[in-house]
Amino acid sequence: MSTSLTWSLKSLLVFVSATWAATYTVSDTYIGQDFLNGFEVQNIPDPTNGRVNYVDAATAASDNLTFASSTNFVARADFTTILDPNGPGRNSVRLMSNKQYGLGSVLVANLNHMPEGCGTWPAFWTVGDQGTDWPNSGEIDIIEGVNNVGTNQGTLHTSPGCSMPTSRTESGTALQSDCDTAVNGNAGCGVSFNDPKSFGPTFNNNGGGWYAVELTDDFVKIWFWALGTSVPSDVSVDSSTIDTDNWGTPVAYFPNTSCSLSSHFGPQNIIINLTFCGDWAGAVYSTSGCPSTCVDYVNNNPADFENAYFDFISLTAYT
């Protein structure tokens, strides 16, 4: 065999391995205090116009809105204060990871609990370039929903020129096909999860579960496994290596058929936040079976937000 042919075959094998490899090695693990060490608590105005006041790290710690033990991390909203209707919104937290994760990475989140309640809008998601170049560097919503209504939605938000095929291999139900933030009221190209245990009170009553997202230049995939169901062994035990080929059909599948993922998604920061009302929860509040108006309810019923908290067992990044 000629030397040139040998090197051609080697190059081909390297290319195939780099393009299709589904095995990843742990890069970062966040448990308990690691969240506070590896994330910034963002004291910023809410970009979604919510009835919320994102506090700084010192306030979050003193008011017990963030709490870390050796096994868990909790991020929550205030549930004791009646708000002045002319004052700031309900105290809550928004966290952004210090590290970024690009193409060829996987995130696996193991949660006991997510925020629930009328007026709530919890989200666990990623955004490119710390959100400074949104939407040009992309957004991936992994956990998102409002007002205790329905199941989880996984969604991409992008700049123009990214859409998803109507028919694709996923267990969820595709919603809009155009991911462009400038159309359909920035709905993005979402997928509704069919498992009622994927969001809100039903997720919490079941004891939690696992979410995972895989980002490559070929596709974005999102999986969900409820506690008590068949969970891949490398997911359930926080393995040092994972093989996503063994994880089965994703709930949400976003291929690069009509979207260059490498040009629409830059390195992603992880965001964990809880807001109230705003552009989504507030807009659909009147049809959610919730009392009063969204803002009045959030202002005057603090005790109803005692269960408005995230409880993470772990968050693991693989590359």
Side-chain angles (χ1 to χ4, degrees):
M1 183 180 292
S2 70
T3 302
S4 60
L5 180 56
T6 300
W7 281 109
S8 295
L9 288 171
K10 287 182 178 180
S11 299
L12 177 60
L13 289 170
V14 169
F15 173 78
V16 170
S17 175
T19 304
W20 298 107
T23 302
Y24 299 83
T25 302
V26 66
S27 169
D28 300 287
T29 301
Y30 302 93
I31 298 173
Q33 185 66 34
D34 298 327
F35 282 89
L36 294 175
N37 296 337
F39 283 71
E40 173 194 357
V41 179
Q42 294 189 295
N43 176 214
I44 63 171
D46 180 22
T48 61
N49 304 301
R51 182 67 177 140
V52 70
N53 178 44
Y54 287 134
V55 300
D56 58 24
T59 304
S62 64
D63 291 354
N64 213 30
L65 303 186
T66 55
F67 171 77
S69 71
S70 60
T71 57
N72 297 73
F73 172 72
V74 172
R76 67 173 312 128
D78 166 78
F79 61 97
T80 62
T81 307
I82 295 177
L83 303 182
D84 178 348
N86 298 311
R90 185 160 299 284
N91 282 1
S92 185
V93 290
R94 172 180 163 124
L95 301 102
M96 182 178 71
S97 66
N98 297 327
K99 290 191 67 173
Q100 296 179 322
Y101 302 94
L103 299 176
S105 59
V106 176
L107 301 175
V108 179
N110 182 2
L111 294 90
N112 281 326
H113 192 279
M114 67 174 66
E116 62 176 81
C118 284
T120 59
W121 180 358
F124 167 62
W125 51 294
T126 71
V127 67
D129 291 332
Q130 302 180 346
T132 59
D133 192 32
W134 186 89
N136 295 318
S137 295
E139 173 184 332
I140 306 170
D141 299 328
I142 306 161
I143 299 175
E144 189 175 31
V146 297
N147 300 325
N148 284 354
V149 175
T151 59
N152 186 61
Q153 286 189 25
T155 308
L156 304 188
H157 297 268
T158 69
S159 55
C162 179
S163 61
M164 292 297 129
T166 303
S167 177
R168 53 195 195 265
T169 305
E170 59 190 5
S171 65
T173 302
L175 303 173
Q176 306 286 353
S177 61
D178 198 332
C179 309
D180 183 1
T181 60
V183 302
N184 299 320
N186 185 27
C189 50
V191 174
S192 177
F193 288 38
N194 295 326
D195 189 340
K197 297 175 182 176
S198 65
F199 183 75
T202 51
F203 175 90
N204 298 332
N205 293 339
N206 188 60
W210 292 261
Y211 274 91
V213 59
E214 181 179 14
L215 172 61
T216 76
D217 56 1
D218 291 326
F219 56 76
V220 175
K221 293 180 179 179
I222 303 175
W223 290 266
F224 168 68
W225 302 275
L227 187 68
T229 61
S230 179
V231 184
S233 58
D234 51 358
V235 172
S236 62
V237 299
D238 280 336
S239 175
S240 60
T241 60
I242 55 172
D243 186 348
T244 57
D245 276 349
N246 296 328
W247 289 3
T249 302
V251 183
Y253 174 53
F254 306 98
N256 66 355
T257 311
S258 300
C259 178
S260 171
L261 295 172
S262 60
S263 61
H264 282 91
F265 287 87
Q268 302 282 297
N269 292 86
I270 305 166
I271 306 284
I272 303 166
N273 74 279
L274 169 59
T275 187
F276 300 91
C277 304
D279 296 342
W280 186 9
V284 300
Y285 188 85
S286 63
T287 62
S288 300
C290 290
S292 185
T293 66
C294 192
V295 170
D296 284 346
Y297 185 78
V298 170
N299 285 351
N300 296 305
N301 298 275
D304 288 355
F305 301 111
E306 187 170 0
N307 286 322
Y309 65 91
F310 287 100
D311 181 357
F312 281 86
I313 298 174
S314 64
L315 171 60
T316 307
Y318 298 87
T319 55

